[in-house]
Amino acid sequence: MTSAIQSMLERYECKNSEDYKNALKEIIQEVALCGLSRGIFFKEAAFYGETALRIFYGLDRFSEDMDFSLCAPNQNFSLSDYFSFLEEELSAAGFSLSVEQKVKSKESAVQSAFIKGETIVQLLNIVPTEPAIAGVHSGELVKIKFEIDTNPPALATYETKYALLPIPFAVKMYDEPSLFAGKLHAILCRAWKNRVKGRDFYDLVWYLSRKTKPNLPHLQKRLEQSGKWDSFDTLTLPILKEMLSERFKEIDFAEAKKDVRPFIQDERKLDLWSAEFFTAIAGGM
């Protein structure tokens, strides 16, 4: 284990294999960001989504995937051009991981890939003790999906964030209002089928607790791209609140709680979840 990875691991209070596996995933995510930064990935792309919140804003729940967006549409962009930078950085950190493109069954503007490797091997690289691997099955994989939107909705705004480990690096990312717009779009438009993504609602409470104001022009462009808004109209805050109120009425919040529980430590934060609760707190946006 390198000294940088040891320092990263010391931020966690791991008591069992699940704690170590969550820490492992987050450390790999940060090392991957460092590799992308060194590969000049952020010259044309930006980091956004739940993992961005976790790493750079301290969102108090774990997140599995990494989401990126080009800053301008580019149908010729190739995510695989950056795999070598990822693999080199992960290897330098002591990990035995591969990076593989996900083959799409249909055409999409979103390109996806996975960082993956055997969980026990990676855990033994960072902490060679029994508690870290107790109960971890041989052949179990750590698997982190990362994807990028090559046809992004317009009018996002950006900022640069810095990290010091494993080495100092910079990340271009959506600023907080634009991140919030992306989350509101997910709440309004995500097709949940039989499983409500409660993590969206947990993040909504987080944004509202910070009194974050959404980037409404960017949210409108997202809604237009999803076919949920007419470009001749203007999205306003009162209209947004009404749209959210109607959406909350459709949600099975018991299922939403089930989804988010594995990612949080204090389940009491879910006690008040209901359509009435979310309508009330969104009303103060």
Side-chain angles (χ1 to χ4, degrees), residues 33-247:
L33 282 174
C34 180
L36 290 171
S37 179
R38 294 180 71 180
I40 322 296
F41 176 79
F42 294 107
K43 183 177 181 180
E44 57 181 327
F47 190 29
Y48 78 103
E50 301 156 0
T51 304
L53 289 184
R54 173 73 174 173
I55 294 174
F56 290 105
Y57 284 97
L59 175 67
D60 60 340
R61 74 167 182 83
F62 290 104
S63 178
E64 297 176 309
D65 303 332
M66 303 177 73
D67 298 307
F68 302 93
S69 172
L70 292 183
C71 299
N74 179 2
Q75 62 180 358
N76 296 318
F77 178 85
S78 175
L79 185 58
S80 62
D81 290 347
Y82 298 90
F83 289 1
S84 62
F85 296 103
L86 285 167
E87 290 173 338
E88 288 172 12
E89 200 66 41
L90 291 164
S91 177
F95 294 113
S96 302
L97 295 160
S98 63
V99 184
E100 298 178 12
Q101 187 99 24
K102 180 181 178 181
V103 179
K104 295 281 188 178
S105 58
K106 59 181 179 179
E107 285 296 316
S108 169
V110 176
Q111 296 182 23
S112 303
F114 290 95
I115 300 169
K116 62 182 182 179
E118 190 170 355
T119 301
I120 289 179
V121 172
Q122 315 317 316
L123 287 173
L124 290 174
N125 281 338
I126 65 170
V127 54
T129 60
E130 179 64 24
I133 62 171
V136 179
H137 300 294
S138 176
E140 180 179 332
L141 297 180
V142 58
K143 194 172 183 181
I144 297 170
K145 182 173 74 171
F146 65 103
E147 57 186 25
I148 185 164
D149 185 354
T150 64
N151 184 31
L155 303 180
T157 44
Y158 309 96
E159 62 182 336
T160 299
K161 291 284 190 179
Y162 299 93
L164 300 180
L165 293 171
I167 62 170
F169 64 96
V171 173
K172 184 176 185 179
M173 58 186 291
Y174 278 30
D175 64 10
E176 196 168 338
S178 297
L179 287 167
F180 191 19
K183 181 55 59 177
L184 291 167
H185 174 262
I187 288 171
L188 291 169
C189 299
R190 197 188 295 275
W192 285 303
K193 297 182 180 178
N194 296 323
R195 186 179 180 187
V196 179
K197 194 170 182 183
R199 285 161 278 180
D200 287 338
F201 295 92
Y202 189 89
D203 297 351
L204 175 60
V205 174
W206 184 87
Y207 279 113
L208 293 173
S209 72
R210 293 169 62 90
K211 301 188 183 302
T212 307
K213 298 298 182 184
N215 178 342
L216 287 176
H218 178 57
L219 176 55
Q220 177 172 326
K221 290 299 182 183
R222 283 186 171 274
L223 293 170
E224 289 174 11
Q225 195 176 72
S226 299
K228 302 292 186 180
W229 191 264
D230 190 324
S231 61
F232 293 103
D233 296 327
T234 300
L235 180 65
T236 64
L237 202 54
I239 293 173
L240 171 60
K241 291 178 183 179
E242 182 60 31
M243 292 171 68
L244 288 169
S245 179
E246 291 302 310
R247 182 62 158 161

